[in-house]
Amino acid sequence: TCSAGDSQTVVIGLAADSGCGKSTFMRRLTSVFGGAAEPPKGGNPDSNTLISDMTTVICLDDYHSLDRTGRKEKGVTALDPRANDFDLMYEQVKAIKSGVAVDKPIYNHVTGLLDPPELIKPPKILVIEGLHPMFDERVRDLLDFSIYLDISNEVKFAWKIQRDMAERGHSLESIKASIEARKPDFDAYIDPQKKYADAVIEVLPTQLIPDDNEGKVLRVRLIMKEGVKHFSPVYLFDEGSTISWIPCGRKLTCSYPGIKFHYGPDTYFSNEVSILEMDGQFDRLDELIYVESHLSNISTKFYGEVTQQMLKHADFPGSNNGTGLFQTIVGLKIRDLYEQITSSKTAAPLEATKA
Ligand code: ADP
């Protein structure tokens, strides 16, 4: 009982549709904790789990109760709760959170079958990423922090074209059709989870270019819930005020269409939130330090840490815009949250264990 209680796992939920940047986000997050995440050594090569020193990222597709054939027979999609085993998800996340290792199933994305399970030991931080981390109330209550990546249809379409057409040879029509086919279940089961999220990263087409439909320049909003334990929202200039800021000029090089920030209090699904918005993209990442120096509450350990992280992963998608910037900042906020949770734990129960 002693060892399990001493090292409780902090659990983070990350929800998004597939192909919406979850893996990229996870790479940024694990980098903040100082280590690249890799598949478990010596296990199933089709494992979806990523392990680093501090974090274990499990993919919730592993809790599919129906494999690809089963879904086809029953006529349900992977987005449908009926294709997922929430009882097992709850039992296993609860066990890991309380320090107990579990045998987690593996959903094989290549064959569409369920493979023999793999052992997951309790890490310091467990991230559950996938379609439904906030769907089941019991699982939701286990989360210490939750994030929803909200990619607008226009942008989703642009990214899918980039990936499926350029890299996988799919046709424009088939991409359109597959997005349309997913939409009813997406709207019914995935999208509603965003009202539970502590932070939402919303990705929209730019407003800087009239009638833009390229989806290259993005307007990204970081929506941060107020009053969340161990999480205090980032702000620009002065907390709680409303500010529009064009940083371009002597200290920041901007080419067309420029960069525009916005910050202010707001409401989101009747919750009080702060929203930080960035529209446009950076020309020179090293100049990001200028923007960083005007942001507060970003939970850095030293001056320029956001810029350093962004430069380190300049090759990741979204590094020149608000997606990369806000993913990096959320990563730092999670590190802060983790440190607050663990320090409050070790400070208090230490006396109890001694006695
Ligand atoms: P997921 O893990 O959710 O399936 P990935 O992180 O693998 O998503 O990203 C899928 C694809 O989407 C990438 O290959 C890239 O083409 C595109 N993408 C993801 N994030 C961004 C971004 N911030 N900006 C532009 N494209 C992106």
Side-chain angles (χ1 to χ4, degrees), residues 17-24 159 162-163 218 317-318 321 323 327:
D17 202 359
S18 67
C20 284
K22 289 189 302 285
S23 344
T24 309
W159 289 1
Q162 158 73 24
R163 190 178 70 169
L218 302 174
N321 64 40
T323 60
Q327 286 174 4

Side-chain angles (χ1 to χ4, degrees), residues 4 25 28 30 82 157 164 167 185 191 199 207 217 223 243-244 253 264 286 293 299 311 335:
F25 190 4
R28 289 192 199 277
T30 47
R82 286 172 294 174
F157 189 56
D164 295 350
E167 295 165 23
D185 280 356
D191 193 65
Q207 289 183 334
V217 183
I223 303 164
I243 283 165
S244 285
T253 317
D286 53 334
S293 66
S299 299
L311 283 168
R335 183 180 67 187

Side-chain angles (χ1 to χ4, degrees), residues 24-90:
T24 309
F25 190 4
M26 284 304 100
R27 288 198 286 166
R28 289 192 199 277
L29 177 75
T30 47
S31 164
V32 163
F33 283 100
E38 287 166 19
K41 285 190 186 76
N44 182 335
D46 290 315
S47 165
N48 305 308
T49 306
L50 292 174
I51 296 178
S52 70
D53 287 349
M54 296 284 289
T55 60
T56 294
V57 183
I58 63 176
C59 173
L60 295 176
D61 290 352
D62 290 333
Y63 292 101
H64 283 334
S65 52
L66 296 173
D67 60 17
R68 203 174 283 154
T69 319
R71 295 198 297 270
K72 216 169 243 165
E73 278 169 9
K74 291 228 162 67
V76 298
T77 68
L79 308 160
D80 194 311
R82 286 172 294 174
N84 296 278
D85 187 345
F86 288 103
D87 292 340
L88 185 64
M89 188 191 295
Y90 167 63

